[in-house]
Amino acid sequence: MAKSFKELLDLAKRNGAKKIAVAVAEDFDVLSAVKEAYDQNIVKPILIGNEEKIKDVAKKVKLNLDGIEIIDEGESIEACRKAVSIVSSQKADILMKGLVDTSIIMKQVLDKEIGLRTDKVISHVGVFCVPTYPKLFILTDAAMNIAPNLEYKKKILENAVEFAHSLDIKNPKVAVVCAKEKVYKKMESTIDAKELEDMNKRGEIKDCTVIGPLALDNAISKEAAIHKGVDNPVSGDVDIFLMPNIEAGNIMYKTLTFLAKAQNAAVIVGAKSPIVLTSRTDTAETKLNSIVLSALMV
């Protein structure tokens, strides 16, 4: 796994520019991130939204619009539909949310006529860089699937493994995180975690190493694992943290972001194309990092 977002950015630059359709693009931080990615030849944008507002914001972020396609559409729902259609018709490689509610753009993503659904579960992956951990790591799912059962956890995990491969991690190490590191019949998440580990051993989950259940301390720290008598090849070297539900994932995501001030990025996976669906509170840096992740997936 890469040790920094700069390493991923350099890799994305070498791969050449991917086309990105930005829905309701008239947002300062979004266009700031798009400008950085465009200037470094990571993406070539198609901007959909209120043309006058897009041009005004572009001037503020010093984005040169020469050669950039703008589709004038002032109505948010229609702008999202046009952006999704552009991606589903393969005229762009990546979809990005601009100044619009997630529910609005996701409704278009899930539309049977123009949408981006596949037979996979659509899930959220976050990537974090913290000074207390030796490499970047992946966290899933913190935003899309509320209370996944065993079948959905398997699909979320498979999405994350495929995503890890796009970051050039050949055999990602997966910790299935629970409140305990032992199976406890009153905690269904621990039962699911052990079954996911067994599926991996049986070859039903491929191209990764899965260990579960693991409490967060003995997933992150090899020393904590040894102290608790947990002996496995994943503790202290985790690439993917699979969380038990959206509450655990979301709380860990926001704790890392706001308390630990971790560098981060996120992308929606499992659709026909990667989707950059950052929060309106995310910085331009986070949005740029997220564009980088999506470009590496293409």
Side-chain angles (χ1 to χ4, degrees):
M1 183 69 165
K3 294 182 179 179
S4 69
F5 280 106
K6 185 181 183 305
E7 288 182 38
L8 296 183
L9 188 144
D10 289 342
L11 179 59
K13 285 164 65 174
R14 293 197 295 271
N15 288 350
K18 314 300 180 187
K19 286 191 176 181
I20 185 168
V22 186
V24 195
E26 55 265 26
D27 178 86
F28 185 90
D29 284 338
V30 167
L31 285 189
S32 294
V34 168
K35 176 193 182 297
E36 288 298 317
Y38 179 55
D39 287 350
Q40 298 190 62
N41 198 42
I42 295 168
V43 297
K44 183 173 182 180
I46 303 170
L47 306 178
I48 304 99
N50 183 301
E51 184 171 5
E52 185 177 337
K53 291 180 179 178
I54 288 172
K55 288 181 176 178
D56 182 54
V57 176
K59 189 179 296 183
K60 291 176 182 175
V61 303
K62 299 180 180 178
L63 170 61
N64 184 351
L65 293 172
D66 291 346
I68 293 178
E69 182 180 0
I70 300 175
I71 298 174
D72 187 21
E73 179 50 71
E75 207 281 313
S76 294
I77 294 175
E78 193 56 35
C80 289
R81 285 190 67 81
K82 287 182 178 178
V84 171
S85 294
I86 287 167
V87 177
S88 64
S89 62
Q90 299 183 333
K91 294 175 183 174
D93 306 299
I94 303 161
L95 175 67
M96 183 173 187
K97 177 177 86 84
L99 192 63
V100 64
D101 287 343
T102 295
S103 60
I104 293 175
I105 193 167
M106 285 307 296
K107 186 174 181 180
Q108 313 314 315
V109 168
L110 300 176
D111 185 278
K112 291 181 180 178
E113 182 184 345
I114 60 144
L116 302 173
R117 285 301 299 261
T118 67
D119 58 353
K120 298 179 181 179
V121 167
I122 290 179
S123 59
H124 176 276
V125 293
V127 176
F128 287 87
C129 178
V130 295
T132 52
Y133 203 70
K135 59 183 177 180
L136 298 176
F137 62 84
I138 297 162
L139 177 72
T140 192
D141 179 326
M144 294 297 294
N145 295 280
I146 296 171
N149 59 20
L150 177 61
E151 178 188 359
Y152 269 63
K153 287 176 183 176
K154 178 177 181 286
K155 292 179 178 180
I156 291 166
L157 175 53
E158 288 171 337
N159 281 352
V161 169
E162 184 177 344
F163 171 75
H165 292 164
S166 74
L167 303 186
D168 204 28
I169 308 170
K170 300 284 191 287
N171 188 75
K173 295 178 179 179
V174 182
V176 187
V177 179
C178 299
K180 293 174 69 71
E181 62 277 354
K182 294 180 180 178
V183 175
Y184 184 49
K185 65 180 180 180
K186 291 185 178 181
M187 289 184 180
E188 190 173 351
S189 62
T190 65
I191 298 170
D192 288 348
K194 185 65 173 77
E195 181 56 29
L196 290 167
E197 179 183 310
D198 290 344
M199 286 179 178
N200 178 238
K201 289 177 178 176
R202 294 194 298 264
E204 296 170 29
I205 299 174
K206 302 178 186 298
D207 302 319
C208 60
T209 301
V210 180
I211 299 293
L214 284 174
L216 188 60
D217 57 349
N218 49 63
I220 292 173
S221 168
K222 187 70 174 176
E223 291 73 19
I226 292 170
H227 185 71
K228 288 189 172 182
V230 179
D231 184 18
N232 66 76
V234 168
S235 292
D237 194 28
V238 180
D239 296 300
I240 299 171
F241 292 88
L242 178 66
M243 307 306 288
N245 54 44
I246 199 170
E247 284 92 352
N250 194 271
I251 290 166
M252 184 170 172
Y253 193 102
K254 289 176 179 173
T255 299
L256 288 166
T257 302
F258 290 97
L259 280 179
K261 299 298 182 184
Q263 282 186 292
N264 66 91
V267 65
I268 302 299
V269 297
K272 291 178 183 176
S273 300
I275 304 168
V276 181
L277 202 70
T278 50
S279 168
R280 279 172 287 184
T281 61
D282 284 332
T283 63
E285 179 188 47
T286 294
K287 289 178 167 68
L288 172 61
N289 291 339
S290 301
I291 292 171
V292 167
L293 293 183
S294 66
L296 290 172
M297 288 178 64
V298 177

